[in-house]
């Protein structure tokens, strides 16, 4: 359940923060300050249809990526650092996948870049947030 929470929070958060940053760029570039509200709202509305699809497509590969990085770093780092690094690596792979898949689609290609950068930026925090109760001394498993 923790991993599902990490993936969903990262997806929704990246859409929100990517939309806000894209809206700010449009507002500054074009001088239309309504874009600060309109662009994030469009991103969030569009994500209602895309997030379930990308969640289903990317869930299994991201689980393998997260688990693989976490296992690779098992003896090198404490659990809190390991989870953040695994979340970061998983988000980088997901962002690359998302940008590549949407590259040919006219309307979403530019938006995908903002969402991808936001996902990579927030993933370490969302991974730590999802797994923080696993760091107690009574529960040492990170894959619950």
């Amino acid at each position: 359940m923790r991993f599902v929470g990490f993936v969903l929070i990262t997806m929704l958060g990246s859409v929100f923060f990517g939309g806000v940053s894209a809206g700010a760029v449009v507002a500054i570039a074009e001088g239309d300050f309504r874009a600060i509200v309109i662009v994030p709202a469009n991103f969030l509305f569009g994500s209602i249809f895309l997030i379930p699809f990308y969640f289903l497509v990317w869930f299994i590969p991201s689980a393998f990526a997260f688990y693989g990085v976490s296992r690779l770093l098992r003896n090198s780092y404490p659990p809190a650092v390991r989870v953040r690094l695994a979340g970061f690596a998983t988000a980088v792979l997901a962002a690359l996948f998302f940008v590549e898949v949407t590259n040919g689609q006219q309307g979403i290609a530019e938006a995908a870049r903002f969402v991808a950068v936001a996902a990579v930026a927030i993933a370490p925090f969302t991974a730590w947030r999802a797994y923080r109760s696993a760091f107690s001394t009574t529960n040492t498993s990170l894959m619950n």
Side-chain angles (χ1 to χ4, degrees):
M1 284 310 291
R2 292 178 186 168
F3 183 73
V4 172
F6 156 66
V7 171
L8 285 176
I9 291 169
T10 302
M11 290 176 104
L12 291 172
S14 64
V15 168
F16 176 75
F17 290 115
V20 169
S21 60
V25 167
V26 170
I28 292 169
E30 297 180 5
D32 183 10
F33 291 100
R34 293 177 300 159
I36 293 174
V37 174
I38 293 171
V39 172
N42 287 340
F43 272 39
L44 290 172
F45 180 73
S47 71
I48 291 170
F49 304 105
L50 290 177
I51 284 182
F53 172 72
Y54 283 112
F55 180 80
L56 291 174
V57 168
W58 185 247
F59 184 75
I60 298 296
S62 66
F64 283 122
F66 188 89
Y67 182 74
V69 170
S70 182
R71 292 291 288 174
L72 243 152
L73 303 174
R74 184 173 49 158
N75 297 327
S76 304
Y77 296 99
V81 174
R82 189 170 69 232
V83 163
R84 286 183 179 123
L85 291 172
F88 177 77
T90 303
V92 167
L93 290 174
L96 290 172
F97 172 77
F98 183 61
V99 168
E100 181 60 31
V101 166
T102 60
N103 196 26
Q105 300 170 359
Q106 184 84 16
I108 197 171
E110 293 176 16
R113 292 182 189 101
F114 284 99
V115 172
V117 169
V120 170
I122 68 171
F125 173 75
T126 58
W128 171 80
R129 182 96 171 127
Y131 283 88
R132 70 179 176 192
S133 64
F135 305 140
S136 68
T137 56
T138 58
N139 186 5
T140 57
S141 171
L142 293 179
M143 294 306 290
N144 287 339

